[in-house]
């Protein structure tokens, strides 16, 4: 069999890769973190079959190579077309011949593209992304992490993906204070949350307008919500929007 050619970046990205304002000694002003060609081929095969398009739709991380250096220490996870993760260290002396890495903690960047159809798949993908991010830690502590991309949901209160986010606490003057982990269902204001969770469950299931989820559907929704709060609790995570 003839091997498939490697997938290449679209032409509109070219200006990012070749900036005349940078020194000739630098290849590009930006570095790129992408999933492997194997992962790109998987999504391309799916798109050929479902969308009749020979395209590998994916996400990526672009970083200023004069400001950030990817850490060589790898992760036991591989980046996929739904989650690309990389840890970085800042660079000192950005335009000097010999750049030195600043002695500081790394920061982990995650670029995500969650499922457009299923809340359960979105939860699973975000959990995997967080596990991937945590695995870059070189100390007993969880490194700071930024997760950005297409969540394919609004993260409204009552949704299971929203359960990943810590509740913000403000003081009397409205200043943002400490965050607390997301609350389990039985600790949330009953009436308000029941209405919100019914609405978000119906939205995720794409029920007709005005139709409420069944008791069985709500039970499954609550069980999924509980897995998120347990996941956050066990890993001592504190996410803010």
């Amino acid at each position: 069999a003839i091997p498939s050619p490697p997938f290449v970046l679209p032409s509109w990205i070219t200006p990012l890769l070749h900036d005349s304002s940078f020194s000739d000694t630098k290849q590009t002003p930006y570095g790129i973190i992408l999933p492997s060609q194997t992962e790109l081929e998987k999504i391309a095969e799916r798109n050929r079959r479902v969308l009749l398009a020979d395209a590998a739709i994916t996400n990526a991380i672009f970083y200023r190579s004069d400001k950030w250096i990817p850490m060589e220490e790898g992760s036991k996870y591989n980046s996929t077309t739904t989650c690309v993760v990389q840890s970085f260290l800042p660079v000192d002396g950005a335009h000097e011949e010999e750049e030195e890495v600043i002695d500081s903690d790394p920061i982990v960047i995650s670029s995500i593209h969650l499922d457009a159809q299923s809340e359960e798949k979105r939860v699973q993908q975000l959990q995997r992304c967080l596990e991937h991010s945590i695995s870059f830690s070189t100390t007993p502590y969880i490194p700071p992490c930024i997760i950005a991309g297409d969540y394919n949901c609004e993260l409204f209160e009552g949704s299971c993906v929203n359960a990943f986010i810590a509740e913000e606490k403000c003081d009397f003057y409205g200043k943002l204070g400490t965050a607390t982990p997301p609350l389990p269902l039985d600790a949330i204001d009953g009436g308000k949350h029941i209405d919100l969770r019914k609405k978000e469950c119906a939205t995720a299931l794409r029920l007709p307008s005005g139709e409420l989820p069944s008791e069985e559907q709500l039970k499954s929704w609550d069980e999924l919500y509980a897995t998120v709060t347990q996941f956050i609790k066990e890993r001592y995570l504190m996410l803010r929007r």
Side-chain angles (χ1 to χ4, degrees), residues 126-140:
L126 192 49
Q127 286 177 337
R128 185 184 185 282
C129 176
L130 289 167
E131 293 279 21
H132 193 165
S133 301
I134 294 170
S135 71
F136 275 100
S137 177
T138 57
T139 71

Side-chain angles (χ1 to χ4, degrees), residues 183-203:
L183 297 173
L185 283 172
D186 56 6
I188 299 175
D189 175 23
K192 176 186 175 184
H193 187 76
I194 288 174
D195 290 341
L196 291 173
R197 95 179 200 277
K198 286 181 179 179
K199 178 182 177 182
E200 292 306 310
C201 180
T203 299

Side-chain angles (χ1 to χ4, degrees), residues 71-233:
M71 291 185 65
E72 294 184 2
E73 290 82 355
S75 164
K76 65 179 180 180
Y77 298 88
N78 295 318
S79 287
T80 68
T81 53
T82 60
C83 179
V84 175
V85 184
Q86 180 63 53
S87 62
F88 295 88
L89 285 173
V91 172
D92 191 16
H95 296 287
E96 297 176 4
E97 291 185 4
E98 295 184 1
E99 296 175 346
E100 296 182 358
V101 177
I102 298 174
D103 184 17
S104 63
D105 294 329
I107 183 170
V108 179
I109 305 297
S110 302
S111 173
I112 63 172
H113 186 188
L114 302 186
D115 191 83
Q117 303 290 330
S118 167
E119 184 83 352
E120 183 175 6
K121 287 183 179 180
R122 286 191 285 270
V123 165
Q124 293 171 350
Q125 290 167 346
L126 192 49
Q127 286 177 337
R128 185 184 185 282
C129 176
L130 289 167
E131 293 279 21
H132 193 165
S133 301
I134 294 170
S135 71
F136 275 100
S137 177
T138 57
T139 71
Y141 303 99
I142 297 174
C145 177
I146 296 175
I147 303 175
D150 186 356
Y151 285 76
N152 264 312
C153 60
E154 299 296 338
L155 282 81
F156 289 142
E157 185 179 346
S159 72
C160 295
V161 176
N162 174 270
F164 283 98
I165 302 173
E167 292 194 343
E168 304 283 14
K169 298 297 183 181
C170 296
D171 63 16
F172 179 78
Y173 299 99
K175 295 179 180 179
L176 186 63
T178 58
T180 59
L183 297 173
L185 283 172
D186 56 6
I188 299 175
D189 175 23
K192 176 186 175 184
H193 187 76
I194 288 174
D195 290 341
L196 291 173
R197 95 179 200 277
K198 286 181 179 179
K199 178 182 177 182
E200 292 306 310
C201 180
T203 299
L205 294 174
R206 303 190 176 210
L207 299 179
S209 179
E211 182 176 332
L212 295 176
S214 65
E215 289 187 9
E216 188 63 30
Q217 289 170 330
L218 275 177
K219 179 181 177 182
S220 297
W221 188 261
D222 291 346
E223 289 173 350
L224 182 61
Y225 189 103
T227 65
V228 175
T229 57
Q230 186 65 23
F231 177 88
I232 294 293
K233 180 181 178 180

